Amino acid sequence: MMKQFLTNFFAAVGDKTISVFTAAKTLLLVTLNIFRGIFHFKNREKGEILKQAYEIGNRSFLFVSVTLSALGMVLVFQVCLQINKITGDQSQVGPEFIKGMIHAFVPILTAMMLATRVGAGIAAEIGSMKVTEQLDALRMSGVDPIDYLIVPRFIASIFMTFILGIYAALLVILAGAFMAHHSFGVNYNVFFVFDKVTWGDLIIGSTKLLAHGSAIPVVSGYCGLTTKVGSEGVGVATTRAVINSSLAVIILDFIISAIGLMTIQ
Amino acid sequence: MLQLNDITLKLDENLILDRISLNIQPGSIWGIIGPPASGKSVLVKTICGFFKPQKGNILFNGTDICKIPETKLLEIRKQIGMLFQNNALFDFMNVWENVAFPLRRSNPDIDPELLREKAWKRLKKVGLAGSEDKLCSELSGGMQKRVGIARATINKAPLNIYDEPTAGLDPVTTSKIYDLLLEIKRQNSSTVLAISSDVEGLRNFVDNIIVLHEGKIRYSGPEKGLETSTDPVVHQFVRGEEEGPL
């Protein structure tokens, strides 16, 4: 009985370990092929990067705007509320809020928004193409699906995540300032103090945006390419894309923050 | 043209193709028939390099496609025109863009006007003049099949593979599709490999036939010899009898 249990247990663990390593190997190969595909200019449709930039940027614009401005206002409201209870000196709310947003919050929150919006879209599109054999049809025309489908989304995502990140940072700071001024009477001149923002914060924030922007299409593209058969498979791939992209963003954010704290700051 | 030597393919520990050997001469028409899940589609996809067999090799014009990297396989695949079982039309393109796609990828510098003209001519050939700018989802099953055939044959590839070219079509359309495939074959002088569940329709179309069952070839040879085969699976499948090993 015990022997059977142990055999099954180790078989299950071994099976899972092999599948994790196989998935990691495939993800690594997809990543390498994406980086190689950047230089395969002839394999891409003309204007495809711009089209994808529009899809990613324009369609995420409202989502990012509403979420991040609301978050900025709530954060400032809560901070001001607590400070009012203790010292009442709100002169440091603006500078610290701006620093925190640029360094940490805006990159991860923008990327998480895009992971749900863009990651799901990429996985669903590529996944449904896989189950309907459209990826095989591309290959029969001598086209590598990674070069043709994922690379334009990869380039567009890096570019648009960076642009949306800058926009989101401006918006969240403005929203925070608006809340501080109208709810707690904090003067705009007191709030908009950028002295605490260092070059290190800007470099770390930018690096995070670029890294997150590249991770989302890689992970989502991988999930789409490995979709199992049927419409259920597309659903599973889409869910996996959102979860794994978000996870990748969190892990990358942690790594970049750690390296940033150890080196730049 | 195409030679399969002792191909054995396992997917998830299941034996899908069991020691398949074939020699397909240029210009011949081969049909593949067999009960569902006998490995027909997997066999043609293996020929296209989508599956790597564990044993054996596949020689396409002398090149072993089992041993070459994906980049070289992409070039080889340009020499194969493929109609997929469910057509696999690109849903983000309209009808003429779908048909023109393989030609455009093979000739990146082709004049756009010439490309459009060739695609329109091919669509006219399959009886779809006037549908060029429609989306594939707006077409009926038979029309989608014709678009798939137009796309598979526009490059005049030396090898054409048709996976279920008449599946789900009525007898009149089926007959028209086979006539069309024969006409295209004569014009392009291509080698043809066709899978079909419609045994009678396919037998009128092909010179040679392969019967697959559980990944094994049960019959391989001239279409006319099918009737005299002593294999019980072939006997039952061709006659559509209820009694037998199937």
Side-chain angles (χ1 to χ4, degrees), chain B residues 27-41:
Chain B
S28 56
I29 308 179
W30 283 77
I32 306 174
I33 56 171
S38 56
K40 305 183 294 287
S41 293

Side-chain angles (χ1 to χ4, degrees), chain A residues 36 42-45 128-129 131-144 148-149, chain B residues 45 48 50 70-71 74 77-78 80 82 84-86 88-93 101-102 104-105 151:
Chain A
R36 201 171 55 188
K42 279 193 172 178
N43 289 353
R44 294 197 286 270
E45 295 283 353
S128 64
M129 283 183 78
V131 298
T132 55
E133 295 180 308
Q134 290 179 60
L135 296 186
D136 288 344
L138 280 177
R139 291 188 183 103
M140 288 310 295
S141 300
V143 175
D144 184 348
Y148 190 78
L149 296 169
Chain B
K45 285 193 171 183
C48 295
F50 292 129
E70 182 68 19
T71 44
L74 290 173
R77 289 189 189 123
K78 285 180 186 173
I80 305 172
M82 173 101 174
F84 287 85
Q85 195 167 3
N86 65 0
L89 301 176
F90 303 124
D91 48 22
F92 52 94
M93 292 180 189
F101 188 77
R104 185 156 57 86
R105 301 309 299 195
R151 189 178 68 180

Side-chain angles (χ1 to χ4, degrees), chain A residues 2-239:
Chain A
M2 188 64 184
K3 190 182 170 189
Q4 184 65 38
F5 171 77
L6 285 173
T7 308
N8 290 344
F9 174 76
F10 283 114
V13 170
D15 198 38
K16 197 75 187 165
T17 310
I18 289 169
S19 64
V20 166
F21 275 99
T22 309
K25 184 188 158 194
T26 315
L27 179 61
L28 184 67
L29 282 174
V30 169
T31 312
L32 290 174
N33 282 331
I34 289 172
F35 279 102
R36 201 171 55 188
I38 294 171
F39 306 101
H40 296 169
F41 304 105
K42 279 193 172 178
N43 289 353
R44 294 197 286 270
E45 295 283 353
K46 280 177 190 164
E48 186 63 16
I49 294 173
L50 278 178
K51 188 183 157 195
Q52 291 305 325
Y54 174 81
E55 291 285 325
I56 294 168
N58 194 51
R59 294 200 175 176
S60 308
F61 182 77
L62 189 66
F63 187 40
V64 169
S65 302
V66 172
T67 315
L68 280 162
S69 54
L71 194 101
M73 286 197 274
V74 170
L75 260 174
V76 167
F77 184 84
Q78 287 300 329
V79 169
C80 289
L81 203 66
Q82 299 308 317
I83 285 176
N84 256 359
K85 286 180 188 172
I86 304 164
T87 62
D89 176 15
Q90 285 160 343
S91 62
Q92 290 307 304
V93 171
E96 289 296 344
F97 176 75
I98 292 167
K99 182 184 172 71
M101 285 295 127
I102 291 171
H103 181 102
F105 280 92
V106 164
I108 195 169
L109 289 173
T110 309
M112 294 287 260
M113 298 294 113
L114 291 179
T116 53
R117 173 71 187 76
V118 177
I122 291 173
E125 196 176 353
I126 294 173
S128 64
M129 283 183 78
K130 184 175 181 200
V131 298
T132 55
E133 295 180 308
Q134 290 179 60
L135 296 186
D136 288 344
L138 280 177
R139 291 188 183 103
M140 288 310 295
S141 300
V143 175
D144 184 348
I146 290 181
D147 287 357
Y148 190 78
L149 296 169
I150 303 181
V151 171
R153 285 162 177 77
F154 175 76
I155 297 170
S157 173
I158 293 176
F159 184 68
M160 289 317 295
T161 307
F162 193 75
I163 300 281
L164 276 172
I166 293 169
Y167 162 74
L170 292 173
L171 192 72
V172 81
I173 291 167
L174 285 173
F178 179 82
M179 178 56 80
H181 181 72
H182 286 278
S183 298
F184 298 92
V186 178
N187 198 306
Y188 284 122
N189 291 333
V190 174
F191 194 93
F192 289 118
V193 174
F194 293 87
D195 291 352
K196 298 226 165 175
V197 180
T198 62
W199 279 107
D201 294 321
L202 291 173
I203 292 168
I204 291 169
S206 303
T207 310
K208 282 179 179 178
L209 284 172
L210 295 173
H212 300 341
S214 60
I216 295 165
V218 169
V219 175
S220 310
Y222 160 77
C223 292
L225 289 173
T226 52
T227 302
K228 305 283 183 213
V229 288
S231 50
E232 191 189 337
V234 178
V236 171
T238 310
T239 311

Side-chain angles (χ1 to χ4, degrees), chain B residues 11-29:
Chain B
L11 295 174
D12 297 332
E13 297 303 313
N14 298 317
L15 185 64
I16 310 294
L17 299 175
D18 189 4
R19 289 168 290 158
I20 302 278
S21 292
L22 273 177
N23 190 3
I24 294 175
Q25 298 299 321
S28 56
I29 308 179

